[in-house]
Amino acid sequence: MSSQFGGLAEQLIARAIEQPSFRRVIVPADLGLPTLTDRLSETRDALVSYLSELDLSTMAGLVRGAAMTELDYTT
């Protein structure tokens, strides 16, 4: 994967992390197998669903705005 896609993926994931549903605490009881595997699967499915419903026009505007103001992109 090129670094260009890595940066875009980072922006998409950052947007998802802002959502309360992706900020749940993992309790110690969920750290054992197979429960942890189940939680990872549920989270992956929720993330794929979230990303598939994301308004890409809005996201493009946010990424463009960040690119125009962040030092990494302006030098």
Side-chain angles (χ1 to χ4, degrees):
M1 179 183 306
S2 76
S3 61
Q4 169 189 332
F5 293 129
L8 293 175
E10 184 178 344
Q11 294 286 329
L12 290 168
I13 298 301
R15 187 74 173 178
I17 289 172
E18 295 173 0
Q19 303 303 310
S21 59
F22 291 108
R23 302 193 64 75
R24 293 185 305 200
V25 174
I26 299 173
V27 297
D30 286 349
L31 292 174
L33 296 176
T35 305
L36 182 56
T37 303
D38 293 341
R39 294 301 163 265
L40 288 167
S41 178
E42 292 165 3
T43 302
R44 180 196 56 208
D45 293 347
L47 182 58
V48 168
S49 177
Y50 173 81
L51 292 174
S52 71
E53 296 173 8
L54 193 60
D55 182 333
L56 295 181
S57 294
T58 299
M59 192 66 206
L62 294 170
V63 169
R64 180 176 169 76
M68 301 302 278
T69 59
E70 291 180 5
L71 184 60
D72 290 346
Y73 296 107
T74 57
T75 57

